[in-house]
């Protein structure tokens, strides 16, 4: 295990804990009509700042870049047509969630409530599957396939970014 991949997997655990909290918000909204606007907005901010800006960007700048440079077509397909597409899909769910929260805040309706819950839960389901794929398949593939020297270089780049 490299430090970079270890940190990425730890970050997945934090993101998964967040999806559980988001699910609880949706259940409270659905079952008890408790719309905690600030909690949804805080969730959107967490997703954008941590899950996307910190975590996904770390994958894209470091690990995925090296995988596509060094591991050929299989890695290019896995990264460009798999993981990067899923990152973009997550961004779309968050954008649509924000639109739905704004719509419900301005004019509460059953339709806007449905769209808040739909997009929040779509994001949660998507990220749960995505994290599982990366932890179970993408990261082990990188660890098996990248050279020891490349993995060490990645950890050095990661450490330099943390300073």
């Amino acid at each position: 295990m490299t430090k970079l991949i270890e940190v990425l997997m730890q970050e997945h655990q934090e993101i998964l804990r967040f999806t559980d909290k988001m699910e609880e918000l949706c259940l409270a909204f659905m079952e008890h009509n408790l719309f905690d606007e600030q909690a949804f907005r805080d969730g959107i901010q967490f997703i954008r700042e941590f899950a996307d800006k910190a975590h996904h960007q770390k994958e894209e700048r470091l690990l995925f870049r090296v995988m596509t440079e060094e591991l050929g077509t299989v890695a290019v397909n896995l990264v460009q047509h798999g993981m990067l597409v899923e990152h973009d899909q997550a961004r779309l769910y968050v954008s649509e969630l924000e639109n739905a929260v704004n719509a419900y805040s301005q004019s509460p309706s059953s339709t806007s409530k449905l769209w808040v819950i739909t997009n929040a839960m779509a994001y949660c389901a998507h990220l749960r599957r995505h994290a599982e794929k990366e932890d179970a398949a993408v990261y082990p593939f990188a660890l098996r396939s990248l050279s020891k020297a490349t993995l060490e270089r990645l950890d050095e780049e990661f450490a330099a970014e943390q300073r």
Side-chain angles (χ1 to χ4, degrees):
M1 183 74 65
T2 68
K3 184 63 177 173
L4 171 61
I5 291 176
E6 181 181 321
V7 167
L8 291 172
M9 292 177 79
Q10 289 169 355
E11 290 174 353
H12 279 164
Q13 292 308 304
E14 189 168 344
I15 293 165
L16 293 173
R17 282 190 295 276
F18 164 80
T19 64
D20 292 341
K21 290 177 186 172
M22 181 62 76
E23 184 174 311
E24 290 171 13
L25 277 175
C26 289
L27 285 169
F29 192 22
M30 182 177 71
E31 294 175 349
H32 307 291
N33 210 36
L34 297 174
F35 178 61
D36 188 339
E37 180 179 352
Q38 190 57 53
F40 278 104
R41 292 194 186 284
D42 291 346
I44 292 165
Q45 182 177 353
F46 171 85
I47 294 165
R48 287 187 172 145
E49 293 298 318
F50 182 76
D52 193 33
K53 187 176 179 184
H55 178 77
H56 287 159
Q57 294 302 314
K58 196 177 302 152
E59 290 173 329
E60 293 173 11
R61 269 191 335 274
L62 297 169
L63 183 62
F64 294 169
R65 174 185 51 84
V66 169
M67 288 174 70
T68 58
E69 289 171 355
E70 296 191 13
L71 299 179
T73 304
V74 172
V76 168
N77 287 335
L78 176 65
V79 169
Q80 290 180 352
H81 305 295
M83 298 302 98
L84 296 180
V85 170
E86 290 185 11
H87 287 183
D88 285 342
Q89 183 67 50
R91 292 174 187 120
L92 176 63
Y93 287 135
V94 174
S95 177
E96 291 298 317
L97 173 58
E98 183 175 46
N99 291 339
V101 167
N102 290 339
Y104 188 85
S105 296
Q106 292 170 4
S107 180
S109 69
S110 294
T111 301
S112 58
K113 178 179 182 177
L114 175 66
W115 282 109
V116 169
I117 294 168
T118 296
N119 284 291
M121 290 310 303
Y123 176 84
C124 291
H126 178 76
L127 256 289
R128 288 168 177 160
R129 285 188 309 271
H130 180 76
E132 173 62 26
K133 284 180 205 174
E134 288 180 339
D135 287 352
V138 176
Y139 299 161
F141 173 68
L143 289 168
R144 278 191 318 273
S145 303
L146 293 169
S147 70
K148 183 178 178 186
T150 296
L151 291 170
E152 288 172 357
R153 189 180 82 242
L154 269 173
D155 272 351
E156 289 169 7
E157 287 180 44
F158 173 61
E161 282 190 5
Q162 302 307 300
R163 292 184 203 130

